[in-house]
Amino acid sequence: MNKSEDSYSDIIHGAGCSCCNGHNGTSPNEMTRRDFVRVAGTGALGTVALSGLSWTALASSGPSGANARDRKPLMVKPVFTYEIPERREQTSWRSWGGIQTEKDAAEEIAGIRGELEVITKTSDFPVSFLPVSGVRRTQDLGNIPDLKDADLFLIYAAGGGMDIFSELNRMEKNIIFFCRYKSGPVYLWYEIVSPRFLRQHSDTLAVKGITENDFVIDKQDELIWRLRALAGLTNTLNSRILAVGGPGAWSQPLDTAMKLVRDTYKLDIQTITYEELGKLITEARKDRSVIAAARANASSYLEDTGVSLETKRSYVENCFILENILSRLMDLNNCRAVTINNCMGTIMPLAETSACLTLSLLNDAGYLAFCESDFVVVPSGLLLGNIAGKPVFLNDPTFPHDNMITLAHCTAPRRMDGKRLEPVRLLTHFESDYGAAPKVQMLVGQSVTNILPDFSFTKNIGLAGQIVDNPFLDICRSQIDISYNCDSRRVAEKMPGFHWITVYGDYLKEAEYALKKIGIELEILG
């Protein structure tokens, strides 16, 4: 590890390794150690380099609190727009709608509060509703101080003028319209929201940032999945991630890929070099309490009847030392996510194990942890994890055939449903036959959502599937066969990029809705 000017990939890999683009030549996203320090230090890749760290300081800082792992709530401002008509003789004096008096308005606002209280208590994602504000005219908006605090305006469009909606849209927040048909007093904008506001008296969409999919009629469940999607998006945009060894982009030009990441997801990437990490590992190993904790945690983990140890116990203990260091680094720097570059070699001599089990442990603890530092796919992993509130599985796809495909990698979480720990075999990392890698026995019959990111950040593919087997092939250790209701040739023709993101459950609607907000189309197959 003393060839300071050699690229990481050249040091680690031979010609046969393809998973993280290691070969004897030069890939577009390879950087020398000197290049990495220079680029990260100047922020050319939108990263901030961590330096001057010590284990003593890190250990004494303590965790920043449970919030480091919790998703922040989506802040929703409900706005009830209405008008009170005045009777005039022998002419039309009122618009459509069941809100005709201030008493009607007060009762409707109370009903809205009740519906939102139910969502708050029953939702599986973090959401906080600001007080419902009644608005009759644009000037009323100036008297609502908490508009600026919202991530989302939830407009109950019972009445009122189009200028109210236009003014709210100029504030550049997400907007959802809710209109009543039969769930309460019928709303005026149930009739006219499309021709008057959405299309602005034309035949095409004419309002920036709002589409037909931002309108809900009556149904609370239709509102809830949109809120879930925006909660995930809000927790992803501008979020902070720790990148050990710096960012990568799996065979793509790194500068180009990172510009796309920065422009689309606005991630705050905190980097730490392997030199800095190596110092922390060396210092931590001199701390007897660290060694004792690693042994105790390994014992507790291995006592689980769902765990089978088929590698050296020392590898497992060393994974817990690495997990201790990385979790403290994330907590100290307010990161909910971590990824490790060149994890198929560079980290092994430093940690004396592979990072596979460590990343699995971090996922199970509530962080979002990814191997390979592939920022083509990592943002999609952050988004899907933040939507679902569950760990996600970054994996290598194979070739689709017979309405099924094999997905595999060595860093799968066990707590795939966010609650229950799946059975696991602890083996060596396959390519190196070293360290500790989990073969998670995922639940057969479980429905899954797969997101297939493209290299250009313009069009992803969504594929629903069902786990049908946990094979044991000579490939990455965690392996699942999934079936899907789609022609395999079409899947093969549509597959973009390389890595996939997989999560338990069906979140394709949420993913499509959230990705559209940042200019990425999701084409759903099947």
Side-chain angles (χ1 to χ4, degrees), residues 106-386:
E107 290 174 352
E108 178 62 5
I109 288 174
I112 291 170
R113 289 196 191 106
E115 291 173 344
L116 299 182
E117 287 174 4
V118 171
I119 293 176
T120 301
K121 293 176 181 178
T122 60
S123 64
D124 59 359
F125 56 93
V127 60
S128 180
F129 294 101
L130 297 166
V132 183
S133 293
V135 173
R136 291 179 58 182
R137 56 188 68 84
T138 307
Q139 299 93 304
D140 295 342
L141 296 174
N143 300 321
I144 306 175
D146 58 4
L147 288 175
K148 65 181 184 302
D149 300 325
D151 301 310
L152 165 71
F153 294 146
L154 176 54
I155 302 176
Y156 289 82
M162 188 166 65
D163 55 334
I164 298 173
F165 307 151
S166 298
E167 183 62 27
L168 287 170
N169 197 36
R170 276 193 283 271
M171 298 180 191
E172 298 186 337
K173 308 279 189 178
N174 288 308
I175 289 179
I176 294 176
F177 285 82
F178 189 94
C179 289
R180 297 200 191 277
Y181 160 50
K182 287 187 176 180
S183 63
V186 67
Y187 284 6
L188 165 66
W189 287 91
Y190 171 58
E191 174 203 7
I192 59 176
V193 72
S194 177
R196 284 198 178 275
F197 178 69
L198 189 59
R199 292 184 276 120
Q200 300 278 303
H201 309 135
S202 74
D203 292 325
T204 57
L205 291 176
V207 181
K208 181 181 178 182
I210 301 178
T211 72
E212 298 91 345
N213 208 22
D214 296 309
F215 295 86
V216 176
I217 308 300
D218 276 345
K219 295 183 178 179
Q220 295 297 306
D221 57 345
E222 288 290 314
L223 172 60
I224 288 168
W225 73 251
R226 287 170 171 82
L227 295 177
R228 184 185 295 113
L230 294 179
L233 182 62
T234 300
N235 275 276
T236 301
L237 297 180
N238 300 295
S239 64
R240 183 172 288 184
I241 181 171
L242 177 66
V244 176
W250 197 83
S251 82
Q252 300 303 295
L254 189 56
D255 286 350
T256 301
M258 295 311 296
K259 183 179 187 304
L260 291 170
V261 170
R262 186 169 60 249
D263 293 347
T264 306
Y265 287 91
K266 301 175 176 59
L267 297 183
D268 178 0
I269 303 173
Q270 304 284 308
T271 64
I272 181 171
T273 65
Y274 273 109
E275 182 179 5
E276 290 282 347
L277 181 64
K279 291 177 182 177
L280 290 175
I281 293 173
T282 299
E283 292 174 13
R285 280 197 176 134
K286 296 177 182 178
D287 186 333
R288 292 182 180 179
S289 65
V290 172
I291 302 302
R295 289 173 178 168
N297 288 332
S299 294
S300 178
Y301 189 90
L302 295 172
E303 286 171 2
D304 184 339
T305 56
V307 177
S308 171
L309 179 62
E310 301 174 47
T311 185
K312 293 180 181 178
R313 183 188 177 98
S314 61
Y315 292 150
V316 176
E317 293 174 352
N318 288 340
C319 281
F320 276 97
I321 294 175
L322 183 60
E323 185 264 349
N324 189 351
I325 294 169
L326 293 180
S327 62
R328 288 178 181 275
L329 281 170
M330 281 190 284
D331 286 348
L332 181 64
N333 292 282
N334 196 29
C335 297
R336 288 191 60 244
V338 63
T339 185
I340 297 181
N341 205 348
N342 299 299
C343 51
M344 296 179 69
T346 306
I347 200 166
M348 294 179 183
L350 300 175
E352 295 185 11
T353 189
S354 61
C356 311
L357 176 58
T358 294
L359 295 175
S360 179
L361 294 170
L362 290 169
N363 273 307
D364 291 340
Y367 300 99
L368 292 168
F370 307 95
C371 56
E372 297 199 36
S373 199
D374 177 9
F375 275 85
V376 174
V377 69
V378 163
S380 295
L382 295 174
L383 178 60
L384 197 54
N386 283 323

Side-chain angles (χ1 to χ4, degrees), residues 473-503:
L473 307 172
D474 291 333
I475 59 176
C476 283
R477 298 304 193 182
S478 285
Q479 309 165 23
I480 51 175
D481 288 342
I482 67 162
S483 64
Y484 45 81
N485 294 319
C486 185
D487 180 72
S488 290
R489 186 176 67 178
R490 185 160 184 256
V491 175
E493 290 171 346
K494 291 288 186 177
M495 286 171 62
F498 175 45
H499 287 118
W500 290 17
I501 291 290
T502 300
V503 69

